[in-house]
Amino acid sequence: MGPSKAIVVGVGYSPLTATKIEILRKAKRIYLFSKTLELLERSCEDRNFWKEIKGKVEEIKKVNELLEKKEDPLVIVAGGDPLYFGLGETLKRSLLLEVEVYPDFSVLQLACAKAGFPIYQVKSLSFHGRGFNPEELIYHLRRHHLLGILTDPQQNVKVIAKALYEASFRDVKIHLFERLSYPEERYSKLNCEEAMEFEPLEPHFVILENNLYGKKRFFALGEEEIYHHQGLITKDEVRAIAIHQLRLPWRGVIWDVGAGSGSVGLEIASLSPELEVYAIEEKESQCDKLLKNKKKFFLPNLKIIYGSAPQVFKDLPSPDRVFLGGSGGRLREILQTLREIPTWQVLVATFTLLENFFFTLNFFSEHRFNVRASQINVLRLESLKEKHRFKPQNPVYILQVQRT
């Protein structure tokens, strides 16, 4: 039987406290990753104490190795604050343990103190050990004035700067903190071009200062901005009404069924990072456009699902909202499957064909859902030689379905 409790001691930036010394002294064995060994030794100002505990230290390679240990409580040493993208957070998620944490300073605290930034104003992001995602970087940078980023030797400041440059965020100021609290500590303020050529020391931490925060549009995309095929796109006016009728939460799972080029899903994904949007599309050519749009607008929370509805539904997390934009000729089957999914609270569907609209209206009415229907007639101004006229667009029928 494995341990029931883990005590995680953060080290690295300040001398060990009396409480931490007592924990380490009483431990039968002290587990840590190899990179933390230097931090632990640095924290031991009393060299006799270091000699006392050094024989107890055992290096591990994977978190899962801790499950096999017999000590209870399990004493683990981690760098900095173990709950700042660290081992404490991993243990809480992955192991069925009671976790007790005694933190040191986090690299974010040290960096903010060095630069004079209030720590509560900094949004944090980590690419340490998990690969670099430029969509995620730009998505969060658009929404925050200050963005702190935990790096590693591969996902470093040069990679970040290159992504900023390519996404036209070239006015962002890059605050680079190298080897904080070490004798060779260095703090630099760089622009994108300078950072792309910079050779940073390891470890290093980055804070991005976006002085254009809040100035760039994040909602209401124009049809001309979205990659689509020959006008096959939910028009601006219809999209606005459909999204309004979805009564979106701040956090949840949204299905965009028959997504096409993804215009509705793109808008929804841009509204909140806590929304997971699944754009379901069976045509490969449309999925290609979906992918181009996802990359163009930097939307990591938009997931592209290539496949036919309703068959793909079983592999997706249960939805809180559903937008139905296309059925691929399987409307009855899709509606029957959706009716049996109990989690969604609101469904919105758009139609150009009366037969599909009335079928869906009758289906949900017969099964005692609350339904609300609208017909949207849009006329757009167009030039006619030297004069103007309003040209009617195809009418669109919108159906809002709510659970009773």
Side-chain angles (χ1 to χ4, degrees):
M1 186 132 176
S4 61
K5 180 179 179 179
I7 300 176
V8 188
V9 176
V11 299
Y13 302 115
S14 57
L16 292 174
T17 63
T19 300
K20 292 179 182 179
I21 289 172
E22 190 66 18
I23 291 169
L24 297 176
R25 181 169 276 143
K26 288 183 176 179
K28 296 178 182 177
R29 181 72 56 184
I30 301 165
Y31 298 98
L32 48 70
F33 291 99
S34 57
K35 290 183 179 179
T36 315
L37 186 60
E38 180 188 356
L39 297 178
L40 176 58
E41 184 177 1
R42 272 204 318 153
S43 301
C44 295
E45 291 189 330
D46 182 344
R47 306 316 293 171
N48 290 325
F49 178 66
W50 170 242
K51 290 177 184 177
E52 178 185 337
I53 65 169
K54 189 175 180 182
K56 299 179 180 182
V57 173
E58 180 177 317
E59 294 183 22
I60 56 172
K61 294 182 178 179
K62 297 179 181 179
V63 174
N64 288 341
E65 290 181 27
L66 297 169
L67 284 171
E68 303 168 6
K69 307 305 178 184
K70 304 300 181 185
E71 286 84 8
D72 199 0
L74 190 67
V75 177
I76 308 161
V77 173
D81 180 355
L83 291 175
Y84 185 67
F85 298 112
L87 186 61
E89 186 181 12
T90 303
L91 289 171
K92 281 180 171 292
R93 282 200 315 262
S94 60
L95 304 181
L96 298 176
L97 292 173
E98 177 189 348
V99 181
E100 201 172 287
V101 177
Y102 294 85
D104 199 327
F105 292 113
S106 70
V107 66
L108 174 63
Q109 288 174 291
L110 294 174
C112 284
K114 179 70 66 175
F117 293 138
I119 193 170
Y120 70 89
Q121 293 182 4
V122 183
K123 164 70 179 177
S124 289
L125 198 59
S126 174
F127 296 123
H128 183 85
R130 53 186 285 263
F132 180 66
N133 185 345
E135 291 175 5
E136 188 176 3
L137 171 68
I138 302 302
Y139 188 91
H140 289 289
L141 185 61
R142 279 176 168 167
R143 289 157 175 78
H144 298 91
H145 175 215
L146 298 170
L147 183 63
I149 304 173
L150 201 60
T151 66
D152 67 21
Q154 286 72 45
Q155 284 66 238
N156 61 21
V157 67
K158 297 174 71 172
V159 174
I160 293 167
K162 184 173 183 289
L164 295 174
Y165 190 88
E166 292 177 348
S168 297
F169 277 78
R170 298 169 191 177
D171 295 327
V172 170
K173 187 181 293 183
I174 300 172
H175 297 261
L176 175 63
F177 308 87
E178 301 167 88
R179 295 187 66 78
L180 282 169
S181 84
Y182 288 81
E184 61 273 30
E185 175 185 298
R186 189 165 61 182
Y187 169 38
S188 309
K189 299 177 185 178
L190 308 169
N191 60 36
C192 283
E193 291 88 345
E194 291 168 338
M196 285 193 289
E197 303 299 326
F198 201 91
E199 294 298 335
L201 301 174
E202 293 295 337
H204 66 273
F205 184 75
V206 170
I207 294 181
L208 302 180
E209 183 179 5
N210 179 16
N211 290 320
L212 293 178
Y213 156 67
K215 302 294 185 182
K216 292 193 175 185
R217 172 170 52 98
F218 74 97
F219 181 66
L221 301 173
E223 295 159 33
E224 70 283 355
E225 298 177 84
I226 301 171
Y227 295 112
H228 63 280
H229 179 66
Q230 295 180 348
L232 296 176
I233 184 173
T234 303
K235 301 299 188 286
D236 290 353
E237 298 86 351
V238 176
R239 203 183 321 139
I241 294 171
I243 293 172
H244 182 271
Q245 291 201 2
L246 275 169
R247 307 293 192 260
L248 291 168
W250 178 253
R251 182 183 184 205
V253 175
I254 315 297
W255 287 3
D256 180 3
V257 182
S261 58
S263 61
V264 173
L266 293 168
E267 298 272 30
I268 294 172
S270 72
L271 289 172
S272 166
E274 300 294 326
L275 290 175
E276 294 179 45
V277 183
Y278 292 83
I280 302 161
E281 177 54 50
E282 64 180 355
K283 293 181 181 177
E284 188 174 355
S285 60
Q286 292 283 48
C287 283
D288 290 341
K289 289 182 175 59
L290 262 168
L291 182 59
K292 289 175 70 175
N293 286 322
K294 170 183 165 73
K295 291 180 176 178
K296 178 180 179 179
F297 298 110
F298 301 98
L299 295 170
N301 56 335
L302 178 70
K303 320 292 183 184
I304 300 171
I305 308 299
Y306 176 44
S308 299
Q311 287 81 2
V312 298
F313 290 173
K314 65 180 184 301
D315 299 319
L316 303 180
S318 298
D320 298 286
R321 302 289 189 274
V322 177
F323 174 73
L324 179 59
S327 62
R330 295 178 299 279
L331 184 59
R332 180 190 297 274
E333 187 180 354
I334 289 172
L335 296 182
Q336 288 175 342
T337 305
L338 288 172
R339 182 177 71 87
E340 295 169 2
I341 298 174
T343 55
W344 61 264
Q345 297 301 306
V346 182
L347 176 148
V348 171
T350 58
F351 305 92
T352 55
L353 297 177
L354 277 170
E355 288 78 8
N356 287 345
F357 166 71
F358 281 118
F359 179 84
T360 307
L361 174 66
N362 292 332
F363 178 90
F364 282 113
S365 297
E366 289 170 2
H367 289 95
R368 300 184 181 280
F369 287 81
N370 289 331
V371 294
R372 174 185 172 187
S374 306
Q375 178 182 318
I376 310 301
N377 293 309
V378 175
L379 293 88
R380 289 184 174 178
L381 188 68
E382 69 170 10
S383 298
L384 190 64
K385 294 184 179 180
E386 295 181 354
K387 299 183 180 181
H388 297 83
R389 70 175 181 181
F390 277 101
K391 182 180 179 180
Q393 307 293 303
N394 289 330
V396 176
Y397 309 96
I398 299 183
L399 187 67
Q400 183 197 60
V401 182
Q402 297 189 52
R403 294 192 179 276
T404 54

